[in-house]
Amino acid sequence: VGTVADKPRLALRARRGGPARPTRGAQSRRASRTGALLVSPAVVLVVAFVLFPLGYAVYISLTNWPLLGPYHFVGLANYKQLVHDSGFKHSVIFTLEYTAIVTPPIFIVGYGLAALLRANRFGAKVFRTIFFLPFVVGLSTVSFIFEIELQPNSGGVDFLLSKLGIVSDTHTWTVNETSALIAISVIVVWFASGLTMLILTGGMQGIPSELYEAADVDGASWWTKEWRITLPMLRRSIALALIISVIGSFLAFNQFYILAQNNVGLETVVEWIYQTAFTRFQVGYATAMAICLVVVIALITMAQFWLLRDDTEL
Amino acid sequence: MTEVATYYDPALEQAMPAPRRRRGAGFWVYLGVATSLAVVFVLPIVWAVLRSFQPARLSSLAPQSADFTHMTVQNYRAVSHGQYDILPNLLNSVIVGLGTVILTTVVATLAGYGLAKFRFRGSGVVFGVILLALMIPFQAVLTPLYLELSDLHLTNNLIGLILVYSTFNLPFGVFVMRNSFQQVPQELVESARVDGAGVMFTLMKVMRPLILPGLATCAMYAFLYAWTELLQALTFVQSPEKLTLPAKLYEVTTSTYGSINNAYLSAGVVIAMVPCLVLYFALQRYYVQGMMSGAVKG
């Protein structure tokens, strides 16, 4: 760092009369200005495209804003209307159902994958790479793949399932509500369990192996070790994995928008908000829904902080 | 939030090789289970690639839909010119992807540097604001963002998308970069200053090698986000020639191109997948590290 080439510049500065070594106060004042300057672009962007829209959203939600044309203030009317809106309520209940359906399998499969590769046996790294592959491709692309493969007759899903003797005839997977939900849930478990696996793997590597050795000495069974050592020690990783998965499911859009295009029964909250604003042109009303969404997400995030808190008794 | 996340350290894994076991029945069960699972995880992706090389007439015919013996590049030719040309959309996605990477990494690096290495009044507030942004999903501010971008004449505009994508990648990026800078020893920064190096010189020359892993993580996440995002791409851009690749592919699924839909879509899907897979295999280490250190959002 302190190369010879740098020295003359320093000497030059001293000769010019500038303070070669500024006083502590001046130095910290300059550091303070530099620090503020460095963070300012980030602050500008976050304020412009996150905080301002958030405040704006509160205002819009109190109006009858159409996409184009004049609007006026309506107070809490949008929120009152929400309570009686069966379409919105349906989308909320459906999204909660979907979240309840996919969260346990994503967790169990992810945990299973992490536990399978925990000992870092032969090939563990390669397997880990492969299990995470669907997540890397991205949910929109994954949905397009299955848009092709779920088609009746020509799709690969029907082909494989009939070869395996699981189904005997072809299915119009995405038209029927139940079968579309089953198909999408299976796809999402396939897509997301690699992420849970990685988060839990990180946690598992932090568990001291002496604990397991001590348990082995005591003759503990595999179940006892998982139940008494792994699960309690993984509490924070588990909370993180579950919350990421719950928020992801609660904000689901791509998979339903692409794979259940004509299936009105399978509209998630985000899809409903999007449709209300941009195809039914009720921007004010849609924004009131979005505010409810922010509140729910904020509650989940607070739960996250609480579950992930550092506590000394552990 | 990064303080609470756990780290997955590949180096640790290498440092502690598994003790040599007798390869008994347990080992073969493990290998069998893991290999079968690997097939399940990789099959749809391989199938999708094979599918894209299938002649268009086969991919929509039931008995032949799994016939991969007549491979051809005709689907790729079809989506690269004429009526179903997706190359302009591919170019849009490249522009948006690279733009998002550059803006996100530059802004996150500056902010991470400022937060980790400078003490200034309000730094706590700045950190709090960025924390807050982490909790707000873009889905929740879609409508005000649309109205705001429209007022700024940034709807139907790739720059608008770049700005929004970068902003929603910033909280994660700033966390990663702040962590990277915190790991740079303070003595190094001090000695650079004593030697007369300026703030930017210190950043560019002295610290760069030390923050590269963080930078790679940050850049990769920004790219993959911008490359696969659909909802904002559909909301903020309307004209067909401005659509990004996922939005264009969505258009293909809803349009009435008929039975050849599948053929176009299958080629488009592979084109959309390739950059993600290449990045993943090339920079896998940073990918996994980043996922462990800052995986805070679904």
Side-chain angles (χ1 to χ4, degrees):
Chain A
V1 177
T3 55
V4 188
D6 288 335
K7 298 293 183 208
R9 270 181 36 200
L10 197 67
L12 198 72
R13 239 169 95 189
R15 223 178 301 133
R16 254 189 283 143
R21 196 174 290 168
T23 58
R24 256 195 108 68
Q27 208 177 66
S28 79
R29 226 175 302 129
R30 185 166 348 129
S32 163
R33 212 177 326 125
T34 312
L37 210 61
L38 286 170
V39 299
S40 56
V43 172
V44 167
L45 280 176
V46 167
V47 168
F49 297 114
V50 182
L51 297 189
F52 172 73
L54 193 63
Y56 198 16
V58 175
Y59 173 72
I60 296 169
S61 77
L62 302 174
T63 70
N64 66 346
W65 203 306
L67 202 53
L68 298 163
Y71 65 93
H72 59 89
F73 194 76
V74 295
L76 293 173
N78 286 330
Y79 292 94
K80 278 183 200 139
Q81 195 185 336
L82 266 185
V83 183
H84 305 290
D85 183 340
S86 60
F88 177 67
K89 272 195 274 189
H90 181 272
S91 74
V92 172
I93 292 167
F94 171 69
T95 310
L96 289 173
E97 265 172 24
Y98 164 73
T99 305
I101 290 170
V102 293
T103 306
I106 290 174
F107 179 76
I108 292 166
V109 173
Y111 189 97
L113 297 177
L116 182 70
L117 303 179
R118 177 166 46 191
N120 282 325
R121 287 207 253 189
F122 174 79
K125 239 179 201 177
V126 177
F127 289 128
R128 218 170 265 144
T129 304
I130 289 174
F131 297 156
F132 193 56
L133 214 48
F135 194 84
V136 171
V137 170
L139 194 48
S140 58
T141 310
V142 161
S143 303
F144 291 129
I145 291 178
F146 283 98
E147 165 82 20
I148 299 170
E149 303 305 342
L150 284 174
Q151 283 168 19
N153 297 317
S154 63
V157 172
D158 265 350
F159 174 80
L160 273 183
L161 291 183
S162 61
K163 283 280 176 216
L164 294 170
I166 296 170
V167 296
S168 52
D169 51 350
T170 55
H171 281 255
T172 47
W173 286 101
T174 55
V175 177
N176 177 285
E177 244 175 62
T178 314
S179 66
L181 183 56
I182 292 172
I184 289 173
S185 302
V186 171
I187 291 165
V188 165
V189 172
W190 174 79
F191 167 80
S193 47
L195 177 64
T196 298
M197 172 197 72
L198 276 192
I199 295 170
L200 296 181
T201 299
M204 283 175 181
Q205 287 184 342
I207 303 176
S209 55
E210 293 82 36
L211 289 177
Y212 292 105
E213 285 154 20
D216 283 335
V217 171
D218 293 342
S221 69
W222 186 84
W223 274 114
T224 314
K225 282 188 281 182
E226 288 301 295
W227 192 249
R228 300 274 175 202
I229 300 173
T230 314
L231 286 175
M233 293 295 286
L234 274 184
R235 190 184 57 115
R236 283 189 359 200
S237 301
I238 290 171
L240 185 66
L242 282 177
I243 280 156
I244 287 174
S245 147
V246 165
I247 291 182
S249 308
F250 198 73
L251 295 174
F253 175 80
N254 287 342
Q255 62 272 47
F256 289 98
Y257 198 65
I258 294 169
L259 289 171
Q261 274 170 29
N262 302 314
N263 214 324
V264 280
L266 303 183
E267 270 189 311
T268 63
V269 182
V270 171
E271 231 179 323
W272 190 261
I273 293 174
Y274 175 75
Q275 303 279 18
T276 304
F278 299 105
T279 60
R280 294 189 281 274
F281 306 118
Q282 300 171 295
V283 175
Y285 188 41
T287 309
M289 299 172 185
I291 293 289
C292 298
L293 190 68
V294 175
V295 172
V296 172
I297 298 293
L299 289 174
I300 299 176
T301 313
M302 274 184 227
Q304 173 177 14
F305 280 124
W306 184 74
L307 285 166
L308 297 179
R309 72 195 183 282
D310 274 309
D311 47 18
T312 40
E313 68 264 22
L314 260 177
Chain B
M1 211 170 289
T2 29
E3 290 91 338
V4 297
T6 36
Y7 283 87
Y8 167 81
D9 186 358
L12 199 73
E13 199 176 300
Q14 278 164 354
M16 301 189 302
R20 199 161 262 287
R21 284 157 209 269
R22 278 177 294 115
R23 296 200 160 161
F27 174 78
W28 296 110
V29 170
Y30 150 79
L31 202 62
V33 170
T35 309
S36 339
L37 284 169
V39 170
V40 172
F41 275 83
V42 95
L43 185 67
I45 293 167
V46 173
W47 186 292
V49 174
L50 290 175
R51 169 77 88 201
S52 72
F53 290 106
Q54 215 179 20
R57 64 188 163 79
L58 286 190
S59 57
S60 48
L61 287 177
Q64 288 99 337
S65 66
D67 174 0
F68 296 118
T69 52
H70 307 277
M71 305 292 249
T72 163
V73 292
Q74 75 180 40
N75 297 335
Y76 290 94
R77 218 173 289 143
V79 294
S80 56
H81 69 270
Q83 200 184 348
Y84 310 114
D85 193 357
I86 62 166
L87 290 187
N89 308 100
L90 182 63
L91 183 66
N92 292 342
S93 272
V94 170
I95 293 169
V96 171
L98 293 182
T100 305
V101 166
I102 293 168
L103 189 60
T104 308
T105 49
V106 169
V107 175
T109 303
L110 294 179
Y113 186 27
L115 286 170
K117 291 292 174 212
F118 295 88
R119 249 196 247 129
F120 58 98
R121 210 187 311 160
S123 65
V125 176
V126 169
F127 199 62
V129 162
I130 289 168
L131 248 179
L132 188 70
L134 204 54
M135 294 189 220
I136 295 158
F138 73 82
Q139 290 92 336
V141 288
L142 198 64
T143 46
L145 259 182
Y146 174 80
L147 295 174
E148 185 187 350
L149 289 177
S150 161
D151 284 344
L152 296 170
H153 302 286
L154 287 174
T155 44
N156 226 355
N157 188 326
L158 298 182
I159 294 172
L161 272 187
I162 292 172
L163 284 170
V164 173
Y165 285 170
S166 302
T167 306
F168 281 93
N169 269 296
L170 266 185
F172 172 77
V174 173
F175 274 118
V176 171
M177 293 319 294
R178 191 185 75 126
N179 268 13
S180 301
F181 280 109
Q182 276 172 341
Q183 280 156 20
V184 175
Q186 192 62 36
E187 302 83 65
L188 192 63
V189 184
E190 288 297 326
S191 69
R193 205 187 44 223
V194 168
D195 287 340
V199 170
M200 291 320 275
F201 183 87
T202 311
L203 176 63
M204 301 299 286
K205 300 282 176 193
V206 182
M207 293 201 252
R208 198 184 53 193
L210 295 164
I211 58 162
L212 267 184
L215 214 56
T217 304
C218 182
M220 196 158 30
Y221 278 88
F223 179 81
L224 292 172
Y225 179 94
W227 190 260
T228 60
E229 207 284 330
L230 180 64
L231 178 53
Q232 294 173 88
L234 284 172
T235 308
F236 302 145
V237 174
Q238 289 87 34
S239 50
E241 78 280 1
K242 290 277 178 63
L243 293 177
T244 58
L245 193 52
K248 177 67 180 181
L249 294 180
Y250 180 74
E251 202 194 67
V252 172
T253 69
T254 54
S255 62
T256 48
Y257 294 159
S259 60
I260 31 182
N261 251 355
N262 279 1
Y264 295 129
L265 192 56
S266 65
V269 158
V270 173
I271 292 170
M273 256 190 328
V274 165
C276 303
L277 295 177
V278 168
L279 260 184
Y280 178 52
F281 289 120
L283 300 172
Q284 205 193 121
R285 196 159 67 87
Y286 304 121
Y287 201 107
V288 172
Q289 247 168 9
M291 201 41 103
M292 302 325 311
S293 63
V296 279
K297 230 172 165 183

